Amino acid sequence: MSAGLFALLRAFWRSLSRGSQLDAEMDEEMRFHVEMQAERLSRERDLDRDEARRQAHVAFGGMEKWKAAGRDTRGTQWIDAIVLDGKLGVRMLVKHRSLTLIAAFAMAISIAVGALAFELIAEALTATLPFAGGDRVVSIEFATDQPSVPQKAGLHEFEAWRETLNGVDQLGAFRNASYNLAFDNNYPEPIRAAAITASAFAIARTPPLHGRYLLPDDENDSAAPVVVIGFHEWQRRFGGDASIIGKVVTLNTVAHTVIGVMPDGFAFPINHQYWVPLRERSTGYQRRDGPPLTVFGMLRPGVTAQSVEAQLAALHQPLAAQFPDLYGRLRPIVLPYTLEVVDIDRPVFVWGLRVIQLLLSALLVVVAVNLAILFYARTVTRLGEIAVRTALGASRTRILAQLFLEALVLSVMSAAIGVALADTALAWIRSTVRTGEMVPFWIPFELSWPAVIYAFVLAVLAAVIVGVIPGLKTTGGGLETHLRALTGGAGLRVGPMWTTLIVSQVAVAIAILPMALYIVSEVVRMEMSDTGFGAESYVIAKVEGSRHAEITRRVEAEPGVAAVTFSSFVPGFESDRRLEFEDASARQRLGTEETSVTSVALNAFQVYDARILAGRSFSGSDLGAPVAIVNRSFAEQFFAAGDVLGQRFSFLRGGTDERVGPALEIVGVVDDFPKFPSSPGGRGVPIIYQPALPESMALAVMSIRFKDSVPPDFVGRLRALGAEVDASVPLRDVELLTGFYSRNRALWRFVSWALSLITVSVLLLSAAGIYALMSFTVAQRTREIGIRMALGGDPRRILAGIFGRVMQQLAIGLVAGGVLSIPIFASFELSAGGALRLLFTVGAIIVVAGLIAALGPARRSLRIHAVEALRGDG
């Protein structure tokens, strides 16, 4: 059986690879046969050579017929048909250039979005650590009664698990640690290191490029302080010095010996470039106190995560009974390491990503349906061609196959463009996000072959929708209908189906086009908007510890510095919390709202030139008092026409209705800073400000304002000042405020422009669909108009009838689209006036486009000679 199948495949491959050679051999053989026959006829019938050759050809029959029969015996005739249909598809795309460009643009954008979503979600959900056994590396943490709020393990738990847990090899842990790194008399530089157990390197089994990595003995308190450096930092900070092993660097105030350099690509546990031994012991902390740890290990062969969880549960039960307040609501769980780190290990997150992927891929279906309407109108105009092919014996399946291949040529071309766009977008994401320190090193942000295959699967799906579905409708009438169209008969008449298509296209355009224009205009406006306070004159840095006053004194003494202030977040990037108003009417009207909250020093508003619009600013007596100041956006969005001063509210805990802390009274309203909107809509983010000392902030953001421009060497100078005040407390993320805003808005800008391109592509299709359907509708009435003209009809009345019907269809579509747009406008919280202006503008554009679409065919129909119209109708 296998030998016979192999022989059949070999013969088929031979027929494919030697098809042209076999055709040439058949040509030669048939010419020889004809010449021999001609010679015989010439000899037997005494004919001249030319007449004998003619009769021999007649007797033999057409050579192409016999060559086709030969191809049939080889089983390759379908390939010739595909090639022929493909060439025809290319010619049709060239013939209808406008339709091709619009369709290719829309399909390429939608396929790019689908491929991009597939790749990013696949990398997040299926990626494993890139070393042997990486798929068996797991993480252990505590699940709580709030599924979205897990808790890390502490030193007590880690040490107990390390001693007793079976089934997991090389159980280890790490925590993030910040240091000031000083080397060779350069400015100290803040770095982020992994304080980690030596077991991490045993799990990875990646040999160092130079020196050695951490060993268990390095974790002893009595061992000399050591550090291992990553390849990129070795190149950037130390110039790739091969003699770096044995040299000393200072981390905060402690000298560390460099013992190794890891190879390029190694950044375990997340994206680290410095590693120091984890030396903390549980004896220095109470239970559940101390630094939170990420615990990891490698499952032994044959051991499952469920069996390890069962053992952990047995170890946990006595602790939960002995310390119910600490462990009663906790449950140890084992998770794939890569999913736990990116925080999508919970099923609800996984399903959420899958739904997002499905919705983004469904965008192609929307585009393809719009294209199907356009191609349907074009296919109807080809009924004469279909009639000829049907009369010559072509089956409906054969015609549908041709229409499918024509659409496939377009969709494959669009898929190639879409793949290139997705790859470009991933390259941009890769170059942008790699500047962040916490992007996992195992996520490559590169387009994989499965994503490319997925893109071309989408292309095939689009070809089915665009080519086959319209073909099924147009070829369903049979030969008689097609011949009637060919001979000038009725063919496909304008009926309820066409009215429905036109109304649907207009409704979709009216529903989507206003928001498309709105999004595009908002993106442009956001790009052109200013912060409102001259962000180019500010430098920011994150400060830990309690030496804020001394750092402020030293910085204010620097030349050109105008003022220094602190806040818990960079302005414009505050954290969100839920709140509830005490006033009954406000609570009934607003319910529980979510807003941004930040703590600020007493002089923050003055340093950022933010005017107090109502009430008062903070004073020294407000520290610790239950007072707050809100920004203009808060007052306008929550109390549009009411007085916000004196309103009292409380914060709510997590997703519950439990109030946290005392109720706060609003004592002032400050202008928005920065003024640029955070999202389309033109409205700023509502923010609540609370007064606080910098020392009370877990991580204070220091904002330094200069009188003029920032000196070019100030960033390094600031780090040196911080190290002079306290070498153990690094100043982190020192940068110009303009650079921070540009970097943090880059991804949102990318998403916004991508959404704008998607929306515009759908809108182009809708506009083209309306034009095509209107043109076809009027063109189908050409004979009717010609006959009426022949009978003496008034051209103005005929045109009025045509445009009256067009306006009727447009009006129905406008009303339906307006109704569909209501929930879309509501989701963007547009005002009624703004929504009506957008609808009126778009409606006018659609009406003009529809009338223009109908005008050309109507004018052409009026110029038809009456005799031609009557002959065509007959």
Side-chain angles (χ1 to χ4, degrees):
M1 179 69 71
S2 59
L5 179 61
F6 179 75
L8 181 62
L9 292 176
R10 184 172 59 184
F12 181 71
W13 171 250
R14 180 175 176 272
S15 66
L16 287 179
S17 59
R18 297 185 58 211
S20 59
Q21 180 181 348
L22 293 174
D23 284 347
E25 292 175 357
M26 288 181 66
D27 279 337
E28 181 65 27
E29 184 177 345
M30 286 187 291
R31 278 196 298 270
F32 175 76
H33 180 80
V34 170
E35 289 296 329
M36 293 295 294
Q37 181 70 3
E39 184 178 347
R40 186 181 65 82
L41 291 174
S42 178
R43 185 176 60 252
E44 293 179 354
R45 301 182 183 180
D46 194 20
L47 300 174
D48 60 61
R49 190 66 178 174
D50 291 339
E51 178 61 21
R53 185 180 292 109
R54 186 189 69 79
Q55 291 189 17
H57 273 293
V58 171
F60 185 80
M63 288 189 179
E64 288 300 322
K65 178 184 69 174
W66 296 111
K67 287 168 66 176
R71 296 188 193 104
D72 289 345
T73 60
R74 299 200 301 265
T76 60
Q77 70 280 7
W78 59 274
I79 297 178
D80 297 326
I82 289 177
V83 172
L84 180 62
D85 288 343
K87 291 179 180 178
L88 179 60
V90 172
R91 287 198 295 270
M92 294 300 294
L93 294 180
V94 174
K95 180 180 178 181
H96 302 277
R97 294 182 182 87
S98 299
L99 176 60
T100 299
L101 290 175
I102 293 174
F105 172 75
M107 292 181 72
I109 294 296
S110 56
I111 289 175
V113 170
L116 192 61
F118 179 91
E119 181 62 40
L120 292 176
I121 293 174
E123 289 183 0
L125 294 180
T126 64
T128 59
L129 294 174
F131 46 74
D135 58 330
R136 292 189 287 116
V137 179
V138 295
S139 178
I140 304 175
E141 64 180 13
F142 285 113
T144 66
D145 50 6
Q146 292 181 281
S148 61
V149 188
Q151 290 189 14
K152 299 288 187 181
L155 286 165
H156 284 273
E157 296 81 43
F158 168 60
E159 291 177 356
W161 295 341
R162 199 178 196 181
E163 293 176 1
T164 60
L165 191 62
N166 298 321
V168 180
D169 287 329
Q170 301 295 343
L171 191 70
F174 81 92
R175 65 174 179 84
N176 290 314
S178 299
Y179 297 100
N180 262 334
L181 184 147
F183 175 73
D184 200 19
N185 297 321
N186 290 326
Y187 280 133
E189 182 178 354
I191 65 166
R192 182 179 59 90
I196 196 166
T197 58
S199 56
F201 297 92
I203 286 177
R205 288 178 284 185
T206 302
L209 184 65
H210 298 290
R212 67 175 179 88
Y213 45 61
L214 298 179
L215 299 175
D217 289 343
D218 294 321
E219 299 174 27
N220 297 327
D221 293 334
S222 58
V226 294
V227 60
V228 177
I229 302 172
F231 180 85
H232 290 295
E233 283 296 285
W234 175 58
Q235 292 284 333
R236 183 188 70 87
R237 177 79 179 182
F238 304 99
D241 182 9
S243 63
I244 189 67
I245 305 302
K247 292 187 177 181
V248 174
V249 299
T250 301
L251 301 182
N252 292 345
T253 59
V254 179
H256 286 65
T257 302
V258 178
I259 61 171
V261 176
M262 296 305 292
D264 188 15
F266 182 87
F268 188 80
I270 300 177
N271 197 4
H272 294 81
Q273 288 288 295
Y274 294 92
W275 298 269
V276 297
L278 179 66
R279 291 182 172 176
E280 284 89 351
R281 297 291 181 268
S282 62
T283 53
Y285 300 95
Q286 299 293 323
R287 287 189 176 274
R288 301 302 299 151
D289 287 338
L293 301 177
T294 298
V295 178
F296 57 85
M298 180 177 286
L299 295 176
R300 293 178 179 174
V303 176
T304 64
Q306 291 74 16
S307 62
V308 175
E309 276 191 3
Q311 185 181 1
L312 286 168
L315 296 173
H316 183 73
Q317 285 179 351
L319 288 175
Q322 186 177 359
F323 307 101
D325 293 339
L326 297 178
Y327 295 103
R329 54 188 290 268
L330 303 180
R331 176 175 58 86
I333 55 175
V334 180
L335 305 166
Y337 179 82
T338 54
L339 293 185
E340 190 276 332
V341 168
V342 296
D343 198 27
I344 55 173
D345 51 283
R346 281 161 285 283
V348 63
F349 293 164
V350 175
W351 278 106
L353 289 177
R354 293 301 188 193
V355 169
I356 291 174
Q357 178 183 340
L358 179 63
L359 291 176
L360 291 177
S361 298
L363 171 68
L364 179 66
V365 176
V366 176
V367 170
V369 169
N370 277 273
L371 282 175
I373 295 174
L374 288 175
F375 276 68
Y376 180 44
R378 194 194 75 177
T379 305
V380 167
T381 64
R382 299 171 61 187
L383 285 178
E385 171 198 335
I386 295 173
V388 172
R389 297 194 61 188
T390 304
L392 293 176
S395 65
R396 188 185 188 194
T397 302
R398 180 71 185 84
I399 295 173
L400 288 176
Q402 176 191 334
L403 297 175
F404 168 73
L405 283 173
E406 290 179 14
L408 186 63
V409 170
L410 173 64
S411 63
V412 168
M413 178 182 68
S414 301
I417 299 173
V419 167
L421 290 175
D423 189 57
T424 302
L426 284 171
W428 181 90
I429 294 174
R430 183 168 61 249
S431 63
T432 301
V433 302
R434 283 303 182 208
T435 59
E437 294 181 338
M438 295 307 291
V439 178
F441 74 97
W442 57 83
I443 297 182
F445 295 107
E446 295 178 352
L447 202 63
S448 62
W449 278 110
V452 174
I453 294 173
Y454 180 76
F456 282 94
V457 169
L458 291 179
V460 174
L461 172 63
V464 171
I465 297 175
V466 173
V468 176
I469 294 179
L472 287 173
K473 179 63 180 176
T474 52
T475 60
L479 178 60
E480 181 182 353
T481 301
H482 302 156
L483 289 175
R484 290 174 64 194
L486 178 63
T487 59
L492 283 181
R493 290 295 186 183
V494 179
M497 179 195 66
W498 285 103
T499 300
T500 302
L501 288 177
I502 293 173
V503 170
S504 299
Q505 282 290 87
V506 173
V508 170
I510 290 295
I512 299 178
L513 183 55
M515 295 316 304
L517 297 177
Y518 175 72
I519 290 174
V520 172
S521 63
E522 284 299 302
V523 170
V524 173
R525 189 179 69 83
M526 288 176 61
E527 290 300 303
M528 298 177 64
S529 63
D530 187 21
T531 57
F533 55 77
E536 65 278 359
S537 299
Y538 290 79
V539 172
I540 59 172
K542 295 178 181 178
V543 184
E544 297 180 85
S546 59
R547 305 289 296 277
H548 302 77
E550 178 63 15
I551 293 175
T552 300
R553 185 183 65 79
R554 296 286 297 272
V555 171
E556 287 179 336
E558 289 294 303
V561 173
V564 178
T565 190
F566 291 88
S567 57
S568 55
F569 297 95
V570 178
F573 290 83
E574 296 77 9
S575 90
D576 292 335
R577 294 190 65 180
R578 293 173 63 245
L579 59 88
E580 185 178 62
F581 292 98
E582 280 196 350
D583 181 76
S585 61
R587 186 168 61 251
Q588 183 177 7
R589 184 175 70 256
L590 303 172
T592 57
E593 294 287 345
E594 187 173 273
T595 184
S596 296
V597 180
T598 185
S599 298
V600 296
L602 298 179
N603 66 337
F605 302 142
Q606 291 80 9
V607 173
Y608 277 101
D609 286 337
R611 294 183 303 114
I612 298 297
L613 304 178
R616 62 178 178 85
S617 185
F618 290 130
S619 63
S621 61
D622 291 323
L623 293 172
V627 296
I629 291 176
V630 299
N631 68 343
R632 179 202 294 266
S633 294
F634 184 101
E636 291 178 349
Q637 293 180 37
F638 293 158
F639 296 89
D643 188 2
V644 70
L645 296 179
Q647 292 287 343
R648 295 170 63 84
F649 64 89
S650 297
F651 291 117
L652 303 179
R653 186 187 305 279
T656 69
D657 293 332
E658 178 185 353
R659 296 190 176 190
V660 180
L664 304 181
E665 180 182 354
I666 299 175
V667 298
V669 178
V670 67
D671 203 2
D672 289 355
F673 70 98
K675 292 185 180 299
F676 61 76
S678 65
S679 61
R683 302 197 302 178
V685 176
I687 303 175
I688 295 173
Y689 299 96
Q690 295 179 270
L693 291 172
E695 292 81 1
S696 65
M697 303 176 191
L699 183 63
V701 175
M702 178 170 62
S703 298
I704 305 166
R705 178 180 175 181
F706 283 81
K707 299 173 184 176
D708 297 308
S709 60
V710 178
D713 61 343
F714 182 76
V715 170
R717 174 64 180 157
L718 179 60
R719 289 170 177 162
L721 288 176
E724 292 172 8
V725 173
D726 189 347
S728 64
V729 181
L731 296 182
R732 293 166 44 192
D733 301 333
V734 182
E735 60 182 321
L736 295 174
L737 185 56
T738 51
F740 175 86
Y741 284 149
S742 177
R743 178 166 49 82
N744 282 273
R745 293 172 67 187
L747 184 59
W748 195 96
R749 187 184 308 128
F750 170 79
V751 173
S752 298
W753 281 107
L755 289 175
S756 299
L757 284 174
I758 293 168
T759 309
V760 168
S761 67
V762 175
L763 295 170
L764 281 175
L765 287 176
S766 296
I770 293 169
Y771 186 91
L773 291 173
M774 285 294 185
S775 298
F776 179 77
T777 299
V778 178
Q780 285 290 76
R781 300 181 62 191
T782 297
R783 295 184 180 87
E784 171 198 340
I785 296 169
I787 294 171
R788 292 177 63 183
M789 289 291 294
L791 296 176
D794 185 356
R796 289 175 296 181
R797 293 188 60 183
I798 294 174
L799 286 177
I802 293 174
F803 287 109
R805 182 166 183 174
V806 169
M807 288 301 301
Q808 182 183 20
Q809 294 168 340
L810 290 175
I812 297 173
L814 290 173
V815 173
V819 174
L820 291 175
S821 69
I822 293 176
I824 300 177
F825 284 129
S827 66
F828 280 81
E829 300 181 356
L830 259 69
S831 64
L836 287 175
R837 284 193 296 271
L838 283 170
L839 280 175
F840 179 81
T841 302
V842 172
I845 294 173
I846 293 297
V847 169
V848 170
L851 293 178
I852 291 175
L855 179 61
R859 292 181 60 186
R860 287 194 300 271
S861 65
L862 292 178
R863 292 197 296 265
I864 294 178
H865 195 277
V867 175
E868 295 178 2
L870 290 171
R871 184 184 300 120
D873 190 57

